[in-house]
Amino acid sequence: MIDRDKAFRILSEIGQEHVLKYFDELNETEQKELLSQIEITDFSVLENLAGDHNSGGERGSFEPLGAVTIKDIASESDRFTQTGVEALKAGKVAAVLLAGGQGTRLGFDKPKGMFNIGVDTELYIFQCLINNLMDVVKLAGAWVPLYIMTSEKNNSETVEFFKEKNYFGYDPSMI
């Protein structure tokens, strides 16, 4: 691992020595973490940000994308659906569920996907998402791999909840 002096030299070469301004106020663990981050950071990406065009490559132009209206989407709906179904059947598509948060703002001390939003019957946020995905599975006639990204805080609770609820009917091998 690099020391503070080496980190200062690295940062000085790129005009970023201010990163160490509060180094002495950090505890030893935090200092080591910062030095480790400095050591593994690829600062060469800053050249592109600074507009260094001497690297031989031309930068493209930046302009707004053309807008697609609801009417355009509706008129091409069959074609878009067919393209999506073909991609699903070919295994070129997966779904990602970002589920790392807790339900604290809902007054709920568990992963927010476990929150019951049902009025007359149990209906969990995770269940709603799985139901939506099941509609796609039925339409395509193919399972969609589902990747659920959790956090350290809620991973085990989320895994256990899905098992307890029998994955809401989704194929567990696809999760």
Side-chain angles (χ1 to χ4, degrees):
M1 176 180 290
I2 63 173
D3 61 13
R4 185 189 192 285
D5 292 336
K6 172 78 173 166
F8 186 81
R9 285 192 299 275
I10 291 169
L11 293 169
S12 293
E13 290 175 12
I14 56 171
Q16 298 294 315
E17 57 273 8
H18 62 276
V19 170
L20 293 174
K21 183 176 181 177
Y22 299 103
F23 183 83
D24 294 328
E25 295 178 28
L26 302 174
N27 66 41
E28 186 177 343
T29 303
E30 293 167 333
Q31 288 177 348
K32 286 180 182 178
E33 179 63 28
L34 178 59
L35 292 173
S36 174
Q37 290 176 18
I38 293 168
E39 183 175 37
I40 65 170
T41 299
D42 178 7
F43 291 105
S44 68
V45 299
L46 295 177
E47 293 173 18
N48 288 331
L49 296 174
D52 179 11
H53 300 290
N54 296 329
S55 59
E58 284 267 336
R59 290 188 69 140
S61 62
F62 296 93
E63 55 190 56
L65 297 173
V68 179
T69 66
I70 300 290
K71 184 178 176 183
D72 295 335
I73 294 169
S75 70
E76 295 288 330
S77 177
D78 290 342
R79 185 173 67 88
F80 292 156
T81 300
Q82 186 59 37
T83 300
V85 167
E86 289 171 11
L88 285 165
K89 287 182 176 180
K92 294 181 178 180
V93 177
V96 177
L97 173 56
L98 304 178
Q102 294 291 99
T104 51
R105 285 182 285 182
L106 300 170
F108 186 64
D109 192 26
K110 295 189 181 296
K112 83 179 92 173
M114 292 172 58
F115 190 71
N116 183 357
I117 58 174
V119 176
D120 297 325
T121 183
E122 287 185 344
L123 180 64
Y124 302 97
I125 293 174
F126 282 142
Q127 185 178 5
C128 290
L129 297 168
I130 293 293
N131 290 346
N132 291 343
L133 196 54
M134 287 296 285
D135 291 342
V136 174
V137 168
K138 289 173 187 167
L139 175 68
W143 288 99
V144 180
L146 172 61
Y147 296 90
I148 303 175
M149 185 174 173
T150 61
S151 67
E152 290 177 7
K153 287 184 177 181
N154 74 2
N155 182 67
S156 59
E157 277 186 295
T158 301
V159 170
E160 288 305 313
F161 184 73
F162 269 88
K163 286 179 186 175
E164 174 188 314
K165 299 300 181 184
N166 199 26
Y167 303 90
F168 301 105
Y170 210 77
D171 181 350
S173 70
M174 297 305 290
I175 298 178

